[in-house]
Amino acid sequence: MKAKYYEDADLISWKVSKKPFEYAARSGDFVVHYSKDDEPVLIEILNASKFLKEANSMLPRKIQKQVLPQEVQAAVAHKISK
C-alpha cells in the first residue's frame, strides 16, 4: 500500500492495488477507483486537511500524538486556518 499527500490539491491518495482501474465512485469527499473486477485500487480523500483534523479530534490525546506528529498537526492547522 502506498499513500501520498498532494498539498496543492489538499488530497490524500492511497494506492491499495497494482491493478489498473476501470471506474470510480464518489461519496462526499471520498473517491474510490475500482478495477474491472470491482476491487478497490485507489482511494482518494478530498479536502484532506479538514478530514484529518476531524478524524484526529475524535481520538484520545495520547493517540493523536502517535498518529499525527506535532509537525503534521501544525501543518494541518496552518492549512485549515488559511
Side-chain angles (χ1 to χ4, degrees):
M1 188 177 342
K2 185 176 180 181
K4 185 167 183 179
Y5 176 71
Y6 296 92
E7 186 175 359
D8 58 330
D10 193 22
L11 170 97
I12 293 174
S13 176
W14 273 293
K15 189 168 188 170
V16 295
S17 172
K18 293 183 180 182
K19 293 183 177 183
F21 56 85
E22 291 287 319
Y23 68 97
R26 181 175 177 177
S27 179
D29 284 342
F30 292 86
V31 180
V32 180
H33 300 261
Y34 295 93
S35 69
K36 64 181 175 182
D37 301 328
D38 298 322
E39 293 178 35
V41 175
L42 180 73
I43 301 168
E44 297 175 307
I45 301 174
L46 312 175
N47 301 308
S49 57
K50 178 183 173 190
F51 170 79
L52 288 174
K53 180 183 177 201
E54 290 174 1
N56 195 45
S57 70
M58 291 183 236
L59 298 171
R61 180 83 49 208
K62 178 181 174 185
I63 302 299
Q64 287 178 16
K65 291 178 181 179
Q66 292 174 355
V67 174
L68 289 178
Q70 284 301 110
E71 306 83 45
V72 175
Q73 291 181 35
V76 170
H78 176 73
K79 178 79 175 168
I80 292 168
S81 67
K82 284 185 177 180

